[in-house]
Amino acid sequence: MSKSQLNLPRIVLLDLWHHKWVMIVALLVMLNAVAVVYTSYEGRKYTSQWELLLQERDRLDIEWRNLLLEEQSRSEHSRVTRMATKELNMRRPLPREEVVVRVP
């Protein structure tokens, strides 16, 4: 083997040392690329979570509206009257059965 082949790793390392600023810039570019990929990933992840939360909000909003409708239907006067007469055997008092209370 010739002497130049034995010194090849040394020559490569010396060449890299002479161009250390290029190597530093290349390393910084690689770190920047990794940072861009990471922030893009995080942004997509948070966007996905945001969409899921919006869907959950919409689902809860629909459920709330349905509960409001149910509450209104349960408190409807005709329903209360019907339940009072059928289930509790209540009736309206006759005029002679009414008592008027006056507060002084």
Side-chain angles (χ1 to χ4, degrees):
M1 288 192 178
S2 68
K3 187 144 179 112
S4 66
Q5 286 180 342
L6 295 176
N7 289 330
L8 186 59
R10 184 174 182 260
I11 292 170
V12 170
L13 288 174
L14 283 174
D15 190 44
L16 289 175
W17 179 252
H18 287 297
H19 297 96
K20 60 186 166 218
W21 291 110
V22 173
M23 295 305 294
I24 290 172
V25 169
L27 179 65
L28 290 175
V29 167
M30 291 300 290
L31 289 174
N32 189 27
V34 169
V36 166
V37 169
Y38 178 74
T39 54
S40 296
Y41 167 74
E42 288 292 317
R44 287 185 181 125
K45 183 173 74 170
Y46 290 134
T47 302
S48 176
Q49 286 178 350
W50 175 257
E51 292 295 325
L52 290 174
L53 290 172
L54 287 177
Q55 289 175 1
E56 178 70 10
R57 183 195 66 182
D58 291 343
R59 186 188 66 76
L60 290 172
D61 188 44
I62 290 169
E63 183 180 349
W64 177 72
R65 288 179 189 180
N66 288 337
L67 288 172
L68 281 178
L69 288 172
E70 185 179 346
E71 179 187 31
Q72 288 173 356
S73 70
R74 288 183 181 263
S75 64
E76 190 176 284
H77 181 69
S78 62
R79 181 177 183 276
V80 171
T81 305
R82 186 176 59 249
M83 287 180 65
T85 56
K86 287 184 180 178
E87 294 178 14
L88 302 174
N89 295 325
M90 296 177 78
R91 62 176 176 77
R92 285 188 125 332
L94 298 173
R96 65 177 186 264
E97 298 172 337
E98 290 182 8
V99 176
V100 178
V101 177
R102 298 197 176 162
V103 179

